[in-house]
């Protein structure tokens, strides 16, 4: 049963990574990357590496998307004045 | 054949694979719902894996995801400007999560482990009720 | 270098790397075998040092010096980001206008903040016992604080986030790690040796210096990530270029 779970997780990771490569828009790509991170955390758990899985969950859930999206907003906003809190 | 791990495999194939597909091809609001659904489905998988592998310490993974999953959804919602209402997420949170947590509590027996499982269940359901109730303005 | 030449250079390099990598893979021990000499020794040492989480024992006790390096990498990365993203001449700060947020989401953020903080401290404190530790718990703590930005708005976050204080906290966490290592030297042993009493197995105070270094790393990571996100938020929300600078581009 363990091998079945690992196999499923590996296939999901591969599919998510392929999907991430095929999206060019940063916002969409960051969503797929967050899903990839979740599948990676599941894979790490199934191969009995919970510390790594916890690191992956912690970083990939909120911090990385926040950094990516803030960067995208800054780049898109440019030098216009009248900033909004968004 | 370990029933818990089988249930985890079923959740992966029947739940998370369609979520990946929706994420890859959907439009922005559907993608946000898919991202929300992925964290709701992954928490029970971690709990089932903890029971199936016989390692109660893996429930910490579900605890952290219960906290950070809704936070991640709210990050995307803020930058998309909209938090769509989603009956799928609400329904999944109120059916799959109790259906996983209650049998696990019965197996764990009264004590610290059961309290922890109940806390995780409550956090997942509460967090995802808020993110799935949705608003149509930025929220 | 023209594009076809670049592609050829890349292809040559890639083929070489692939060949070397494949050759190395044939020399690896077979997957999932029974013979794990390093793993056996590591687990035996972890149990002898009364640390239930063998990974934490390897990170903070047996290879504590490597973890010092990793912590310093994070510290240096945060430092570099602070330098890069600081406000320069030609940029000015404007007041962010508050965003409209649903009441339900705002209440969620406010109520979840203490719960998330408790979970973060729980993960940090249980480093020597169960999966987790300083790094993971530190990030959960930093995310917990930013729940106020995610669920409410930037002004709410600014109220509980005096950045200077967190910058000091980051440095204190980094220094505490080194000081603990030096304390081991002063006690007559090696740098970062585990000289504190090891305590009872499977309790919060077990593992000796593992618990202490865990907390130091937790503090450093939490404060470091908060400072990092503060710089990103400043640039995205408050700082903008003034018109004169853009004319020069």
């Amino acid at each position: 049963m363990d091998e079945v779970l690992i196999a499923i997780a590996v296939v999901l990771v591969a599919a998510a990574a392929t999907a991430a490569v095929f999206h060019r828009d940063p916002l969409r790509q960051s969503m797929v990357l967050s899903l990839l991170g979740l599948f990676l955390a599941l894979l790490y758990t199934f191969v009995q590496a919970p510390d790594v899985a916890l690191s992956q969950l912690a970083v990939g859930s909120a911090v990385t998307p926040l950094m990516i999206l803030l960067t995208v907003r800054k780049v898109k906003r440019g030098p216009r004045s009248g900033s909004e809190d968004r | 054949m370990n029933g818990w791990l089988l249930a985890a495999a079923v959740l992966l194939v029947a739940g998370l694979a369609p979520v990946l597909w929706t994420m890859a091809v959907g439009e922005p609001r559907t993608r946000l719902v898919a991202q929300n659904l992925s964290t709701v489905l992954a928490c029970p998988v971690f709990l089932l894996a903890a029971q199936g592998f016989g390692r109660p310490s893996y429930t910490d993974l579900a605890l952290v995801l219960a906290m950070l999953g809704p936070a991640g959804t709210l990050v995307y919602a803020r930058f998309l400007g909209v938090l769509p209402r989603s009956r799928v997420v609400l329904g999944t949170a109120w059916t799959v999560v109790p259906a996983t947590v209650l049998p696990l509590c019965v197996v764990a027996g009264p004590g610290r482990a059961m309290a922890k499982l109940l806390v995780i269940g409550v956090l997942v359901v509460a967090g995802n009720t808020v993110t799935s109730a949705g608003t149509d303005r930025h929220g | 270098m023209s594009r076809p030449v670049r592609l050829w250079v890349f292809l040559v390099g890639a083929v070489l790397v692939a060949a070397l990598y494949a050759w190395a893979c044939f020399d690896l021990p077979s997957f999932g075998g029974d013979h794990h000499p390093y793993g056996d020794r590591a687990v035996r040492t972890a149990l002898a040092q009364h640390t239930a989480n063998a990974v934490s024992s390897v990170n903070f006790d047996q290879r504590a010096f490597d973890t010092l390096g990793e912590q310093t990498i994070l510290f240096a990365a945060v430092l570099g980001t602070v330098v890069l993203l600081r406000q320069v001449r030609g940029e000015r700060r404007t007041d962010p206008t508050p965003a409209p947020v649903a009441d339900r989401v705002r209440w969620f953020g406010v109520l979840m903040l203490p719960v998330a903080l408790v979970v973060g401290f729980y993960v940090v404190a249980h480093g020597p016992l169960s999966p987790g530790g300083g790094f993971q718990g530190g990030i959960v703590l930093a995310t917990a604080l930013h729940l106020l930005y995610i669920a409410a708005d930037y002004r709410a976050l600014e109220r509980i986030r005096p950045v200077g204080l967190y910058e000091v906290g980051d440095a204190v966490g980094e220094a505490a790690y080194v000081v603990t290592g030096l304390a081991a030297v002063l006690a007559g042993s090696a740098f970062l040796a585990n000289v504190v009493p090891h305590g009872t197995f499977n309790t919060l105070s077990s593992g000796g210096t593992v618990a202490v270094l865990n907390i130091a790393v937790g503090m450093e990571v939490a404060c470091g990530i908060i400072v990092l996100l503060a710089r990103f938020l400043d640039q995205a929300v408050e700082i903008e270029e003034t018109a004169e600078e853009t004319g020069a581009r």
Side-chain angles (χ1 to χ4, degrees):
Chain A
M1 199 64 219
D2 297 2
E3 292 88 13
V4 173
L5 276 176
I6 296 177
I8 297 175
V10 166
V11 167
L12 283 173
V13 164
T18 313
V21 169
F22 278 119
H23 287 108
R24 282 297 169 208
D25 170 39
L27 181 59
R28 180 171 241 187
Q29 199 177 40
S30 81
M31 278 191 171
V32 180
L33 284 175
S34 127
L35 196 61
L36 172 64
L38 190 66
F39 291 154
L40 276 174
L42 285 167
L43 175 62
Y44 296 149
T45 313
F46 296 149
V47 296
Q48 314 297 335
D51 283 74
V52 187
L54 199 50
S55 297
Q56 173 65 53
L57 276 180
V59 169
S61 292
V63 174
T64 305
L66 190 55
M67 286 203 304
I68 295 178
L69 293 174
L70 284 171
T71 311
V72 168
R73 165 186 288 177
K74 173 72 181 184
V75 167
K76 277 197 184 142
R77 199 158 56 108
R80 285 195 313 275
S81 59
S83 64
E84 282 175 23
D85 172 7
R86 280 218 150 253
Chain B
M1 178 65 88
N2 195 327
W4 305 105
L5 295 181
L6 181 62
V10 166
L11 266 181
L12 280 177
V13 173
L16 285 170
V19 161
L20 174 60
W21 178 254
T22 316
M23 182 78 85
V25 301
E27 41 166 69
R29 293 168 73 122
T30 327
R31 266 182 273 137
L32 187 54
V33 169
Q35 193 271 342
N36 199 358
L37 193 60
S38 69
T39 55
V40 176
L41 285 173
C43 275
V45 174
F46 281 120
L47 290 175
L48 290 168
Q51 184 67 35
F53 291 129
R55 302 205 188 280
S57 52
Y58 288 15
T59 51
D60 287 351
L61 293 162
L63 179 63
V64 168
L65 187 58
M67 296 302 324
L68 298 183
T73 307
L74 287 173
V75 166
Y76 286 114
R78 166 168 285 244
F79 286 90
L80 275 179
V82 65
L83 183 62
R85 164 165 295 150
S86 166
R87 276 199 298 268
V88 176
V89 173
L90 193 63
T92 314
W94 281 93
T95 54
V96 173
V97 175
T100 318
V101 169
L102 291 173
L104 285 172
C105 284
V106 167
V107 171
R112 240 186 91 193
M114 186 171 100
K116 197 165 159 189
L117 285 169
L118 286 172
V119 165
I120 295 175
V122 165
L123 282 175
V124 176
V125 169
N128 287 286
T129 307
V130 169
T131 58
S132 67
T135 56
D136 268 324
R137 318 167 274 143
H138 156 255
Chain C
M1 221 189 245
S2 67
R3 192 153 185 254
V5 175
R6 272 195 307 231
L7 270 172
W8 274 109
V9 171
F10 164 71
L11 276 175
V12 167
V15 165
L16 269 175
V17 169
L20 286 172
Y21 186 74
W23 187 21
C25 281
F26 280 119
D27 235 356
L28 285 173
S30 45
F31 185 75
D34 277 335
H35 185 55
H36 303 290
Y38 186 74
D40 290 337
R41 285 178 175 78
V43 171
R44 211 180 312 141
T45 314
L47 292 175
Q49 304 278 66
H50 295 200
T51 311
N53 186 356
V55 175
S56 281
S57 176
V58 171
N59 273 339
F60 294 112
D61 189 356
Q62 302 171 37
R63 313 283 336 162
F65 190 64
D66 301 348
T67 308
L68 175 62
E70 288 170 18
Q71 192 189 9
T72 312
I73 290 177
L74 179 60
F75 186 74
V78 170
L79 191 61
T81 314
V82 166
V83 167
L84 264 179
L85 294 181
R86 76 194 186 288
Q87 183 182 354
V88 293
R89 204 170 16 168
E91 288 178 345
R92 64 159 189 251
R93 248 170 223 274
T94 56
D95 255 343
T97 52
V101 175
D103 275 344
R104 188 186 314 124
V105 176
R106 199 184 277 268
W107 272 111
F108 173 73
V110 168
L111 284 174
M112 273 302 152
L113 174 60
V115 177
L117 283 177
V118 167
V119 169
F121 285 126
Y122 167 83
V123 173
V124 173
H126 280 73
L129 301 182
S130 57
F135 178 71
Q136 294 92 333
I139 304 220
V140 174
L141 285 171
T143 311
L145 213 74
H146 284 88
L147 267 177
L148 266 192
Y149 168 68
I150 296 169
D153 61 27
Y154 192 56
R155 293 250 184 86
L157 175 66
E158 278 190 313
R159 257 181 242 139
I160 61 168
R161 192 205 61 187
V163 183
L165 202 64
Y166 288 105
E167 288 172 348
V168 169
D170 191 4
V172 166
E174 174 80 20
Y177 199 103
V178 177
V179 164
T180 309
L182 288 174
V185 172
L186 287 176
S189 184
F191 183 58
L192 285 171
N194 199 346
V195 293
V196 177
H198 295 328
T200 327
F201 190 75
N202 220 10
T203 59
L204 274 178
S205 59
S206 62
T209 49
V210 175
V212 174
L213 292 175
N214 217 12
I215 295 176
V217 167
M219 184 175 181
E220 197 264 331
V221 169
C223 295
I225 299 288
I226 290 174
V227 170
L228 183 73
L229 285 175
R231 294 288 164 243
F232 272 86
L233 282 166
D234 274 353
Q235 276 288 341
V237 169
E238 277 189 342
I239 295 179
E240 59 178 31
E241 290 168 15
T242 55
E244 307 90 61
E245 265 309 301
T246 60
R249 286 184 194 278

